[in-house]
Amino acid sequence: MTAAFSPNSSARAARADSPWIRHWNGGSASRLTLVCLPHAGGSAGFYRPWAALLPPEVELVGIQYPGREDRFDDPASADMGELATALADAVLPLLDRPYALFGHSMGSAVAWELAHELGRRGAPGPRRLFASGRAAPGTAVTGQLHRQDDDVLCAELARLGGTSREVLDDPGLRALVLTAVRHDYRIIETHRPAEGPPLSCPIHVLTGDTDPELGEERSRDRAGGWAGLTTARTEVRVFPGDHFYLTPRRREVVATVLRRLDPSLATDGRRTWPSTP
């Protein structure tokens, strides 16, 4: 039987030693934690620009999957279950204060599995789950891209946007990117969510209006399937843009997250808060 959840300050301090955790702001004023999970092939650094847009009350935590950047030599997770288990180990020390999960694309499915794994351990559930750019687990369209050759993977990255042509044209950079992408696509394309109880937190679905993975039209169907995965309310926010709408719309996305976390923290999307470099 799993031991009762009991976070403490020394455990939180040890989070800096975890290869999974990247931390760019926060301090004594923080009272909420925002844990952000990247897309397939993405890194924790995708969320680093958010630090400048968050108030001191919100601690920003980025998740670094293995098989990329400074974790290139770390073995990739075998499947979604192994990934969620390792993430829960890393995140548990951070749960001494209310928290929310934000996942983009593959990260939204990882966030959902992480919430369930934390619940199985007796940890408190997230205050909110933000699911960006992907339909709900069990309803999202999957394929066999992780088994395809590099040219097919490059075509998929070009379709989604978010990866510059210069990177894909550079043989060295292309090899690094495709290694991480292939690892992650294998995880998400072989993910078969187990039957389980719905979450009890609100789910906020975010997407770009021309996102080929979700988009405005598909998100109208029970919030892209997410409405069936919680007993709380589900809402959809559509932004102008494609699969990576949240890069050019970063300020609006962060302001939306803050309003849902705590209206008193919301900005107008233009104010910049002091942050740790």
Side-chain angles (χ1 to χ4, degrees), residues 20 22 24 38 42-48 62-65 68-69:
W20 296 87
R22 298 294 180 272
W24 300 293
S43 68
F46 181 74
Y47 294 104
R48 183 169 186 167
I63 296 298
Q64 187 78 316
Y65 304 138
R68 70 218 62 214
E69 295 186 346

Side-chain angles (χ1 to χ4, degrees), residues 46-95:
F46 181 74
Y47 294 104
R48 183 169 186 167
W50 288 28
L53 303 175
L54 292 171
E57 293 90 342
V58 180
E59 177 186 30
L60 176 64
V61 171
I63 296 298
Q64 187 78 316
Y65 304 138
R68 70 218 62 214
E69 295 186 346
D70 58 333
R71 299 197 66 194
F72 184 76
D73 293 328
D74 290 352
S77 300
D79 53 33
M80 181 67 82
E82 183 177 299
L83 177 60
T85 297
L87 275 174
D89 291 341
V91 168
L92 273 171
L94 307 179
L95 305 187

Side-chain angles (χ1 to χ4, degrees), residues 143-166:
Q144 292 290 317
L145 284 167
H146 69 286
R147 297 181 180 274
Q148 304 302 314
D149 62 28
D150 288 356
D151 289 341
V152 172
L153 278 183
C154 282
E156 173 67 5
L157 296 181
R159 180 182 77 94
L160 295 177
T163 305
S164 71
R165 191 71 254 176
E166 290 77 10

Side-chain angles (χ1 to χ4, degrees), residues 12 32 38 46 55 76 93 104 122 130 134 150-151 162 173 187 193 258:
R12 168 172 275 275
L32 296 167
F46 181 74
H104 178 59
F130 297 90
R134 187 173 178 82
D150 288 356
D151 289 341
L173 292 177
I187 287 174
L258 288 174

Side-chain angles (χ1 to χ4, degrees), residues 41-275:
S43 68
F46 181 74
Y47 294 104
R48 183 169 186 167
W50 288 28
L53 303 175
L54 292 171
E57 293 90 342
V58 180
E59 177 186 30
L60 176 64
V61 171
I63 296 298
Q64 187 78 316
Y65 304 138
R68 70 218 62 214
E69 295 186 346
D70 58 333
R71 299 197 66 194
F72 184 76
D73 293 328
D74 290 352
S77 300
D79 53 33
M80 181 67 82
E82 183 177 299
L83 177 60
T85 297
L87 275 174
D89 291 341
V91 168
L92 273 171
L94 307 179
L95 305 187
D96 58 341
R97 60 178 64 137
Y99 71 98
L101 301 175
F102 186 105
H104 178 59
S105 197
M106 167 185 161
S108 65
V110 178
W112 185 77
E113 289 288 358
L114 175 59
H116 279 281
E117 177 62 24
L118 291 171
R120 285 190 286 269
R121 300 186 186 201
R127 175 175 285 193
R128 312 267 170 171
L129 190 151
F130 297 90
S132 169
R134 187 173 178 82
T139 66
V141 177
T142 59
Q144 292 290 317
L145 284 167
H146 69 286
R147 297 181 180 274
Q148 304 302 314
D149 62 28
D150 288 356
D151 289 341
V152 172
L153 278 183
C154 282
E156 173 67 5
L157 296 181
R159 180 182 77 94
L160 295 177
T163 305
S164 71
R165 191 71 254 176
E166 290 77 10
V167 168
L168 296 179
D169 288 341
D170 182 293
L173 292 177
R174 168 176 159 142
L176 291 174
V177 168
L178 292 186
T179 296
V181 168
R182 198 178 298 280
H183 286 163
D184 293 349
Y185 270 50
R186 174 175 50 79
I187 287 174
I188 197 64
E189 289 181 338
T190 59
H191 178 217
R192 301 294 181 267
E195 291 290 334
L199 299 177
S200 59
C201 66
I203 295 179
H204 304 277
V205 180
L206 295 79
T207 189
D209 57 0
T210 61
D211 183 351
E213 291 296 288
L214 184 57
E216 184 170 15
E217 182 176 350
R218 191 173 181 201
S219 66
R220 295 195 192 105
D221 182 13
R222 293 184 55 75
W226 288 99
L229 300 185
T230 181
T231 58
R233 72 180 185 279
T234 308
E235 68 172 24
V236 177
R237 172 73 191 274
V238 179
F239 296 84
D242 57 17
H243 189 58
F244 285 95
Y245 71 91
L246 66 175
T247 297
R249 299 286 173 175
R250 181 179 299 127
R251 291 180 180 273
E252 296 164 64
V253 171
V254 172
T256 297
V257 170
L258 288 174
R259 279 195 297 272
R260 298 302 179 264
L261 283 177
D262 184 337
S264 70
L265 299 176
T267 72
D268 61 4
R270 292 186 295 273
R271 182 176 179 182
T272 298
W273 300 88
S275 64

